[in-house]
Amino acid sequence: MSILTHKEKKELITRNLQEVLGEDKLDAILKERDLKIYWGTATTGKPHVAYFVPMSKIADFLKAGCEVTILFADLHAYLDNMKAPWSLLDLRVQYYEAVIKAMLLSIGVPLEKLKFVKGTDYQLSREYSLDVYKLSSVVTQHDAKKAGAEVVKQVEHPMLSGLLYPGLQALDEEYLKVDAQFGGVDQRKIFTFSEKYLPQLGYEKRIHLMNPMVPGLAGGKMSASVEDSKIDLLDTPATVKKKLKKAFCEPGNIDDNGLLLFVQHVLFSLFEKGEGFVVNRVPENGGNKIFYKYEELIEDFKSLQLHPADLKATVEKYINQLLDPIQKDFESSHLKKLSSAAYPIPTKEEDGPERLDIRVGKVVEVSRHPDADTLYILRIDLGEGEPRTVISGLVAFLTVEELDQHLVAVLCNLKPAKMRGILSEGMVLCTSNADHTVVEPLIVPSSTAPGTRLAFEGYNGKAEEQLNPKKKIMEKLFADFKTDSDGIAVWKDSFLLTPEGEKLTSKLANCFIK
């Protein structure tokens, strides 16, 4: 095997990256020795096909002679708005290690050249803990919140854990003894946070290597918490076909196309010399064609010479090739049991909370009820074309200005009922203290669109068209619908979530919701 030059190593390390911070330092190190890099992943939702993007870069780093450490950031997973319960942290790490090793082997990356580390193996040490305290004495709340804005789940009233997250990720660079950290461009603010604050603790500023973010199948970020946005590593070929068929792939659009970026950052980086992207199609559609350069593929797609259906069919073929060895690994009973244990399916009740049709609404008009001093008449946009009328007893607790144009959570499948002569078509969900002197609507994440369906974590069944009042379904379900000790809306132990995984909250903790 030929020895690579400094220039060739740098080209491998930086190809397909969106940004490099500290390029001068990168050049200086490569002139003397190989680079030490770490990539970390918080062990939260199940890894999906977009993880092949960092995996293919790890392959590049190894080809360039780099020492690579993969960090399973279990403590970070808990700190990120408790996306991984403490009781499941160790199981999630085991699952991530098994899956990521299988992914790396499926693309021909030798595992013996990699170092695997679990965060809590060193992050609970005395030295690390003292550095966390030192860091907290120099970092402002503003900087901590800003640093985590693109990575940590943002809620109306953030937990202290989310503010600690960026600092821990910065300290990892020092404790893993690396020259560089690699991650997605969504981590840029954490990387610049690290460059600002590590020197204040007497530690060296590191190099930062950033991948672009691969859009999800429906556009936007590919996310483990949004089912239709991603292909799971254990999805069957039939499921892959179904998801790709629905994927956003507008003819000629090369700017917001997750399939094209997947081809660029994964497939083309894995092709050996002389290999290309093979599109099989009937003669009337142009016949078979091999693209040896990504730029050629882009040009054909942009000029409409490559149809989205043919692109989807070809990507489907390559994805199934990548997934096949992973799925064969997971046919073993041990890995099947590990998957079930790390991601348990909540036990469904006969009267489970998925029967409630809870949606985000925007109050577009507020007026006083002409025949009831304590009632408002709310006109609420629920994404249905025409606003619904909802009668609410909030006059004593909120002004018109505090309600008008605000987002609320609305129970939409109650049987419509007249209240003092006016038909009410839903109920605004609120919390109240023990003596009902304080009542307030649940706080909805500000980025959520009117009409968005909310769901309880682990419960994705179809809501009742209309709740039958004779069966008292609502009364049974609402006995377990409350805010927890942190003011987060839950049914039993399941969070009420937006499709993006954001939680609904309240200023009132340990209170019933109704």
Side-chain angles (χ1 to χ4, degrees), residues 456-479:
F456 290 90
E457 186 177 36
Y459 292 88
N460 300 309
K462 188 176 180 182
E464 298 278 340
E465 187 172 337
Q466 188 176 100
L467 296 174
N468 188 335
K470 290 183 180 179
K471 292 186 178 179
K472 298 189 180 297
I473 296 170
M474 192 185 92
E475 288 84 348
K476 292 175 185 176
L477 292 174
F478 274 61

PDB file of all heavy atoms in Angstrom, residues 456-479:
ATOM      1  N   PHE A 456     -48.744  10.844  22.416  1.00  0.00           N
ATOM      2  CA  PHE A 456     -48.013  10.425  23.601  1.00  0.00           C
ATOM      3  C   PHE A 456     -46.917   9.447  23.186  1.00  0.00           C
ATOM      4  O   PHE A 456     -47.131   8.582  22.336  1.00  0.00           O
ATOM      5  CB  PHE A 456     -48.955   9.784  24.615  1.00  0.00           C
ATOM      6  CG  PHE A 456     -49.897  10.763  25.252  1.00  0.00           C
ATOM      7  CD1 PHE A 456     -51.135  11.007  24.684  1.00  0.00           C
ATOM      8  CD2 PHE A 456     -49.536  11.455  26.396  1.00  0.00           C
ATOM      9  CE1 PHE A 456     -52.009  11.920  25.250  1.00  0.00           C
ATOM     10  CE2 PHE A 456     -50.394  12.382  26.965  1.00  0.00           C
ATOM     11  CZ  PHE A 456     -51.637  12.615  26.393  1.00  0.00           C
ATOM     12  N   GLU A 457     -45.750   9.595  23.780  1.00  0.00           N
ATOM     13  CA  GLU A 457     -44.587   8.790  23.443  1.00  0.00           C
ATOM     14  C   GLU A 457     -44.926   7.305  23.509  1.00  0.00           C
ATOM     15  O   GLU A 457     -45.390   6.794  24.527  1.00  0.00           O
ATOM     16  CB  GLU A 457     -43.453   9.105  24.430  1.00  0.00           C
ATOM     17  CG  GLU A 457     -42.137   8.447  24.112  1.00  0.00           C
ATOM     18  CD  GLU A 457     -41.051   8.867  25.089  1.00  0.00           C
ATOM     19  OE1 GLU A 457     -41.362   9.052  26.279  1.00  0.00           O
ATOM     20  OE2 GLU A 457     -39.904   9.018  24.662  1.00  0.00           O
ATOM     21  N   GLY A 458     -44.743   6.608  22.358  1.00  0.00           N
ATOM     22  CA  GLY A 458     -44.999   5.178  22.312  1.00  0.00           C
ATOM     23  C   GLY A 458     -46.416   4.802  21.932  1.00  0.00           C
ATOM     24  O   GLY A 458     -46.719   3.629  21.753  1.00  0.00           O
ATOM     25  N   TYR A 459     -47.286   5.795  21.794  1.00  0.00           N
ATOM     26  CA  TYR A 459     -48.684   5.524  21.444  1.00  0.00           C
ATOM     27  C   TYR A 459     -48.993   6.228  20.123  1.00  0.00           C
ATOM     28  O   TYR A 459     -49.174   7.439  20.083  1.00  0.00           O
ATOM     29  CB  TYR A 459     -49.626   6.030  22.539  1.00  0.00           C
ATOM     30  CG  TYR A 459     -49.516   5.267  23.836  1.00  0.00           C
ATOM     31  CD1 TYR A 459     -48.587   5.640  24.806  1.00  0.00           C
ATOM     32  CD2 TYR A 459     -50.324   4.163  24.080  1.00  0.00           C
ATOM     33  CE1 TYR A 459     -48.474   4.937  25.994  1.00  0.00           C
ATOM     34  CE2 TYR A 459     -50.217   3.456  25.275  1.00  0.00           C
ATOM     35  CZ  TYR A 459     -49.296   3.848  26.224  1.00  0.00           C
ATOM     36  OH  TYR A 459     -49.184   3.144  27.398  1.00  0.00           O
ATOM     37  N   ASN A 460     -49.058   5.446  19.044  1.00  0.00           N
ATOM     38  CA  ASN A 460     -49.245   6.036  17.719  1.00  0.00           C
ATOM     39  C   ASN A 460     -50.503   5.540  17.016  1.00  0.00           C
ATOM     40  O   ASN A 460     -50.621   5.621  15.808  1.00  0.00           O
ATOM     41  CB  ASN A 460     -48.017   5.730  16.841  1.00  0.00           C
ATOM     42  CG  ASN A 460     -46.749   6.304  17.442  1.00  0.00           C
ATOM     43  OD1 ASN A 460     -46.704   7.475  17.787  1.00  0.00           O
ATOM     44  ND2 ASN A 460     -45.737   5.471  17.597  1.00  0.00           N
ATOM     45  N   GLY A 461     -51.456   5.009  17.788  1.00  0.00           N
ATOM     46  CA  GLY A 461     -52.695   4.514  17.202  1.00  0.00           C
ATOM     47  C   GLY A 461     -53.593   5.638  16.717  1.00  0.00           C
ATOM     48  O   GLY A 461     -53.329   6.822  16.922  1.00  0.00           O
ATOM     49  N   LYS A 462     -54.679   5.240  16.072  1.00  0.00           N
ATOM     50  CA  LYS A 462     -55.621   6.206  15.511  1.00  0.00           C
ATOM     51  C   LYS A 462     -56.562   6.718  16.594  1.00  0.00           C
ATOM     52  O   LYS A 462     -57.078   5.957  17.409  1.00  0.00           O
ATOM     53  CB  LYS A 462     -56.421   5.554  14.384  1.00  0.00           C
ATOM     54  CG  LYS A 462     -57.285   6.515  13.605  1.00  0.00           C
ATOM     55  CD  LYS A 462     -57.963   5.802  12.447  1.00  0.00           C
ATOM     56  CE  LYS A 462     -58.841   6.778  11.658  1.00  0.00           C
ATOM     57  NZ  LYS A 462     -59.548   6.086  10.547  1.00  0.00           N
ATOM     58  N   ALA A 463     -56.793   8.015  16.600  1.00  0.00           N
ATOM     59  CA  ALA A 463     -57.702   8.612  17.569  1.00  0.00           C
ATOM     60  C   ALA A 463     -59.147   8.263  17.232  1.00  0.00           C
ATOM     61  O   ALA A 463     -59.489   8.011  16.073  1.00  0.00           O
ATOM     62  CB  ALA A 463     -57.532  10.131  17.599  1.00  0.00           C
ATOM     63  N   GLU A 464     -59.991   8.229  18.258  1.00  0.00           N
ATOM     64  CA  GLU A 464     -61.433   8.049  18.036  1.00  0.00           C
ATOM     65  C   GLU A 464     -61.968   9.220  17.218  1.00  0.00           C
ATOM     66  O   GLU A 464     -61.530  10.366  17.398  1.00  0.00           O
ATOM     67  CB  GLU A 464     -62.165   8.008  19.376  1.00  0.00           C
ATOM     68  CG  GLU A 464     -61.771   6.868  20.286  1.00  0.00           C
ATOM     69  CD  GLU A 464     -62.489   5.573  19.939  1.00  0.00           C
ATOM     70  OE1 GLU A 464     -63.536   5.622  19.271  1.00  0.00           O
ATOM     71  OE2 GLU A 464     -61.983   4.511  20.336  1.00  0.00           O
ATOM     72  N   GLU A 465     -62.892   8.913  16.315  1.00  0.00           N
ATOM     73  CA  GLU A 465     -63.515  10.018  15.578  1.00  0.00           C
ATOM     74  C   GLU A 465     -64.255  10.938  16.531  1.00  0.00           C
ATOM     75  O   GLU A 465     -64.219  12.162  16.399  1.00  0.00           O
ATOM     76  CB  GLU A 465     -64.471   9.463  14.517  1.00  0.00           C
ATOM     77  CG  GLU A 465     -65.030  10.536  13.605  1.00  0.00           C
ATOM     78  CD  GLU A 465     -65.821   9.965  12.453  1.00  0.00           C
ATOM     79  OE1 GLU A 465     -65.601   8.786  12.092  1.00  0.00           O
ATOM     80  OE2 GLU A 465     -66.672  10.698  11.920  1.00  0.00           O
ATOM     81  N   GLN A 466     -64.937  10.328  17.500  1.00  0.00           N
ATOM     82  CA  GLN A 466     -65.602  11.117  18.548  1.00  0.00           C
ATOM     83  C   GLN A 466     -65.665  10.272  19.810  1.00  0.00           C
ATOM     84  O   GLN A 466     -66.018   9.085  19.762  1.00  0.00           O
ATOM     85  CB  GLN A 466     -67.010  11.508  18.116  1.00  0.00           C
ATOM     86  CG  GLN A 466     -67.696  12.492  19.059  1.00  0.00           C
ATOM     87  CD  GLN A 466     -69.059  12.923  18.543  1.00  0.00           C
ATOM     88  OE1 GLN A 466     -70.097  12.426  18.958  1.00  0.00           O
ATOM     89  NE2 GLN A 466     -69.051  13.859  17.608  1.00  0.00           N
ATOM     90  N   LEU A 467     -65.274  10.851  20.943  1.00  0.00           N
ATOM     91  CA  LEU A 467     -65.297  10.132  22.207  1.00  0.00           C
ATOM     92  C   LEU A 467     -66.746   9.927  22.653  1.00  0.00           C
ATOM     93  O   LEU A 467     -67.538  10.872  22.656  1.00  0.00           O
ATOM     94  CB  LEU A 467     -64.522  10.905  23.273  1.00  0.00           C
ATOM     95  CG  LEU A 467     -63.024  11.079  23.017  1.00  0.00           C
ATOM     96  CD1 LEU A 467     -62.413  11.994  24.075  1.00  0.00           C
ATOM     97  CD2 LEU A 467     -62.298   9.738  22.992  1.00  0.00           C
ATOM     98  N   ASN A 468     -67.064   8.685  23.018  1.00  0.00           N
ATOM     99  CA  ASN A 468     -68.417   8.363  23.449  1.00  0.00           C
ATOM    100  C   ASN A 468     -68.594   8.755  24.913  1.00  0.00           C
ATOM    101  O   ASN A 468     -67.989   8.136  25.798  1.00  0.00           O
ATOM    102  CB  ASN A 468     -68.676   6.865  23.264  1.00  0.00           C
ATOM    103  CG  ASN A 468     -70.128   6.493  23.501  1.00  0.00           C
ATOM    104  OD1 ASN A 468     -70.844   7.187  24.213  1.00  0.00           O
ATOM    105  ND2 ASN A 468     -70.542   5.390  22.904  1.00  0.00           N
ATOM    106  N   PRO A 469     -69.406   9.770  25.201  1.00  0.00           N
ATOM    107  CA  PRO A 469     -69.538  10.224  26.590  1.00  0.00           C
ATOM    108  C   PRO A 469     -70.122   9.159  27.517  1.00  0.00           C
ATOM    109  O   PRO A 469     -69.841   9.153  28.722  1.00  0.00           O
ATOM    110  CB  PRO A 469     -70.464  11.446  26.473  1.00  0.00           C
ATOM    111  CG  PRO A 469     -71.154  11.306  25.159  1.00  0.00           C
ATOM    112  CD  PRO A 469     -70.221  10.568  24.270  1.00  0.00           C
ATOM    113  N   LYS A 470     -70.909   8.229  26.950  1.00  0.00           N
ATOM    114  CA  LYS A 470     -71.520   7.202  27.796  1.00  0.00           C
ATOM    115  C   LYS A 470     -70.478   6.226  28.326  1.00  0.00           C
ATOM    116  O   LYS A 470     -70.650   5.638  29.389  1.00  0.00           O
ATOM    117  CB  LYS A 470     -72.581   6.446  27.000  1.00  0.00           C
ATOM    118  CG  LYS A 470     -73.821   7.286  26.683  1.00  0.00           C
ATOM    119  CD  LYS A 470     -74.874   6.457  25.960  1.00  0.00           C
ATOM    120  CE  LYS A 470     -76.104   7.317  25.647  1.00  0.00           C
ATOM    121  NZ  LYS A 470     -77.141   6.535  24.920  1.00  0.00           N
ATOM    122  N   LYS A 471     -69.377   6.026  27.575  1.00  0.00           N
ATOM    123  CA  LYS A 471     -68.324   5.104  28.023  1.00  0.00           C
ATOM    124  C   LYS A 471     -67.331   5.772  28.966  1.00  0.00           C
ATOM    125  O   LYS A 471     -66.431   5.119  29.494  1.00  0.00           O
ATOM    126  CB  LYS A 471     -67.583   4.540  26.812  1.00  0.00           C
ATOM    127  CG  LYS A 471     -68.447   3.616  25.958  1.00  0.00           C
ATOM    128  CD  LYS A 471     -67.615   2.974  24.851  1.00  0.00           C
ATOM    129  CE  LYS A 471     -68.451   2.011  24.029  1.00  0.00           C
ATOM    130  NZ  LYS A 471     -67.659   1.385  22.935  1.00  0.00           N
ATOM    131  N   LYS A 472     -67.477   7.084  29.128  1.00  0.00           N
ATOM    132  CA  LYS A 472     -66.619   7.852  30.045  1.00  0.00           C
ATOM    133  C   LYS A 472     -65.124   7.635  29.756  1.00  0.00           C
ATOM    134  O   LYS A 472     -64.289   7.531  30.667  1.00  0.00           O
ATOM    135  CB  LYS A 472     -66.943   7.518  31.498  1.00  0.00           C
ATOM    136  CG  LYS A 472     -68.372   7.862  31.893  1.00  0.00           C
ATOM    137  CD  LYS A 472     -68.583   7.719  33.371  1.00  0.00           C
ATOM    138  CE  LYS A 472     -70.016   8.068  33.757  1.00  0.00           C
ATOM    139  NZ  LYS A 472     -70.373   9.466  33.475  1.00  0.00           N
ATOM    140  N   ILE A 473     -64.773   7.549  28.452  1.00  0.00           N
ATOM    141  CA  ILE A 473     -63.383   7.329  28.051  1.00  0.00           C
ATOM    142  C   ILE A 473     -62.499   8.484  28.523  1.00  0.00           C
ATOM    143  O   ILE A 473     -61.412   8.283  29.073  1.00  0.00           O
ATOM    144  CB  ILE A 473     -63.279   7.167  26.523  1.00  0.00           C
ATOM    145  CG1 ILE A 473     -64.033   5.922  26.073  1.00  0.00           C
ATOM    146  CG2 ILE A 473     -61.826   7.081  26.079  1.00  0.00           C
ATOM    147  CD1 ILE A 473     -64.189   5.807  24.576  1.00  0.00           C
ATOM    148  N   MET A 474     -62.996   9.710  28.295  1.00  0.00           N
ATOM    149  CA  MET A 474     -62.192  10.872  28.661  1.00  0.00           C
ATOM    150  C   MET A 474     -61.909  10.901  30.160  1.00  0.00           C
ATOM    151  O   MET A 474     -60.780  11.148  30.596  1.00  0.00           O
ATOM    152  CB  MET A 474     -62.893  12.166  28.236  1.00  0.00           C
ATOM    153  CG  MET A 474     -61.986  13.387  28.316  1.00  0.00           C
ATOM    154  SD  MET A 474     -62.830  14.921  27.969  1.00  0.00           S
ATOM    155  CE  MET A 474     -63.303  15.413  29.619  1.00  0.00           C
ATOM    156  N   GLU A 475     -62.925  10.611  30.962  1.00  0.00           N
ATOM    157  CA  GLU A 475     -62.740  10.647  32.413  1.00  0.00           C
ATOM    158  C   GLU A 475     -61.695   9.629  32.865  1.00  0.00           C
ATOM    159  O   GLU A 475     -60.859   9.908  33.728  1.00  0.00           O
ATOM    160  CB  GLU A 475     -64.081  10.365  33.118  1.00  0.00           C
ATOM    161  CG  GLU A 475     -65.087  11.494  33.022  1.00  0.00           C
ATOM    162  CD  GLU A 475     -65.888  11.453  31.723  1.00  0.00           C
ATOM    163  OE1 GLU A 475     -65.513  10.692  30.801  1.00  0.00           O
ATOM    164  OE2 GLU A 475     -66.886  12.192  31.628  1.00  0.00           O
ATOM    165  N   LYS A 476     -61.711   8.423  32.238  1.00  0.00           N
ATOM    166  CA  LYS A 476     -60.739   7.386  32.613  1.00  0.00           C
ATOM    167  C   LYS A 476     -59.320   7.810  32.229  1.00  0.00           C
ATOM    168  O   LYS A 476     -58.376   7.644  33.000  1.00  0.00           O
ATOM    169  CB  LYS A 476     -61.093   6.074  31.917  1.00  0.00           C
ATOM    170  CG  LYS A 476     -62.386   5.435  32.397  1.00  0.00           C
ATOM    171  CD  LYS A 476     -62.702   4.201  31.556  1.00  0.00           C
ATOM    172  CE  LYS A 476     -64.051   3.602  31.927  1.00  0.00           C
ATOM    173  NZ  LYS A 476     -64.409   2.458  31.044  1.00  0.00           N
ATOM    174  N   LEU A 477     -59.160   8.349  31.014  1.00  0.00           N
ATOM    175  CA  LEU A 477     -57.835   8.729  30.538  1.00  0.00           C
ATOM    176  C   LEU A 477     -57.269   9.921  31.296  1.00  0.00           C
ATOM    177  O   LEU A 477     -56.075   9.977  31.600  1.00  0.00           O
ATOM    178  CB  LEU A 477     -57.880   9.032  29.040  1.00  0.00           C
ATOM    179  CG  LEU A 477     -58.146   7.826  28.128  1.00  0.00           C
ATOM    180  CD1 LEU A 477     -58.316   8.280  26.683  1.00  0.00           C
ATOM    181  CD2 LEU A 477     -57.010   6.821  28.220  1.00  0.00           C
ATOM    182  N   PHE A 478     -58.122  10.892  31.610  1.00  0.00           N
ATOM    183  CA  PHE A 478     -57.641  12.109  32.255  1.00  0.00           C
ATOM    184  C   PHE A 478     -57.234  11.881  33.709  1.00  0.00           C
ATOM    185  O   PHE A 478     -56.586  12.739  34.313  1.00  0.00           O
ATOM    186  CB  PHE A 478     -58.673  13.225  32.139  1.00  0.00           C
ATOM    187  CG  PHE A 478     -58.567  14.014  30.855  1.00  0.00           C
ATOM    188  CD1 PHE A 478     -58.740  13.398  29.634  1.00  0.00           C
ATOM    189  CD2 PHE A 478     -58.255  15.364  30.871  1.00  0.00           C
ATOM    190  CE1 PHE A 478     -58.629  14.100  28.451  1.00  0.00           C
ATOM    191  CE2 PHE A 478     -58.140  16.076  29.692  1.00  0.00           C
ATOM    192  CZ  PHE A 478     -58.324  15.440  28.480  1.00  0.00           C
ATOM    193  N   ALA A 479     -57.573  10.719  34.270  1.00  0.00           N
ATOM    194  CA  ALA A 479     -57.128  10.407  35.630  1.00  0.00           C
ATOM    195  C   ALA A 479     -55.610  10.254  35.684  1.00  0.00           C
ATOM    196  O   ALA A 479     -54.993  10.428  36.742  1.00  0.00           O
ATOM    197  CB  ALA A 479     -57.804   9.135  36.118  1.00  0.00           C
TER     198      ALA A 479
END
